[in-house]
Amino acid sequence: MRQPRILIFSGSVRAGSHNSKLAALVGKHLALADAEVTRISLKDYPMPIYDGDLEAQDGVPQNARKLKRLMQESDGIFIACPEYNAGITPLLKNTIDWVSRIKDPGEEPMAAFRSPLFAIGAASPGAFGGMRGLIGVRTILEVGLGANVLPQMIVVARAAQGFDSKGDLTDERAAGQLETLVRSLLRQTRFQMSL
Ligand SMILES: Cc1cc2nc3c(=O)[nH]c(=O)nc-3n(C[C@H](O)[C@H](O)[C@H](O)COP(=O)(O)O)c2cc1C
């Protein structure tokens, strides 16, 4: 059987993003476990802020279509989700909203969210590590889009000190969460692929 294909991205595109570091680290661990990892930056998939008039006039942006294709080619998707005011970042929400608008012929609605297994995590300089924002992300994915999201998550609190010079985690608890998340994501995707 082929190895699971895992797509990875971060809800932040700023230079030095803690969440992009987390995305890179999850990608490294998945690759070490033989997964086929594709890590992208949403910077390469710019989209205007969703506006129904814009959609009616110009349709869904090509970048949303490209991202949807990548998502559908994946067995699993890990998203590192920064927390803004206890919620999801506008970049991540806007990206998800555009992709959710695409319904290709013969597909169920929100198809790109229905087949891959999702895993989520967060990193924040704060003491909660973005945990509160993850609740919102989970609600959007599970309730809004019918996605299957792993219960296991990773949270990197005090993220400014959370990564060493090699990009590895400095906190043992977070390192344990990383190990559990990677193991669960691979086990579940392999199980789904075997069906
Ligand atoms: C508008 C805004 C709201 C924020 N709200 C929160 C918050 O509710 N909780 C939190 O832990 N950090 C909050 N932060 C701080 C972010 O966690 C911090 O900027 C973090 O570095 C963003 O992720 P990144 O490093 O991946 O870009 C907020 C930052 C911004 C810009």
Side-chain angles (χ1 to χ4, degrees), residues 101-181:
R101 298 296 295 165
I102 308 169
K103 187 187 171 308
D104 287 315
E107 273 183 2
E108 60 177 346
M110 273 75 106
F113 297 91
R114 297 288 167 93
S115 56
L117 176 64
F118 283 80
I120 54 178
S124 155
F128 297 121
M131 185 68 189
R132 298 174 310 165
L134 288 180
I135 298 165
V137 175
R138 181 178 290 281
T139 302
I140 291 164
L141 291 171
E142 287 181 343
V143 181
L145 301 160
N148 192 1
V149 185
L150 271 189
Q152 294 82 6
M153 296 184 280
I154 173 164
V155 172
V156 183
R158 300 194 171 81
Q161 298 83 40
F163 299 90
D164 66 18
S165 57
K166 289 194 212 139
D168 290 321
L169 294 166
T170 56
D171 178 69
E172 261 181 42
R173 192 184 51 89
Q177 289 178 347
L178 172 68
E179 207 179 294
T180 304
L181 182 138

Side-chain angles (χ1 to χ4, degrees), residues 10 12 14 16-20 82-87 123-126 129-130 132:
S10 160
S12 169
R14 76 175 182 91
S17 157
H18 301 306
N19 287 278
S20 299
E83 177 178 299
Y84 280 6
N85 298 319
S124 155
R132 298 174 310 165

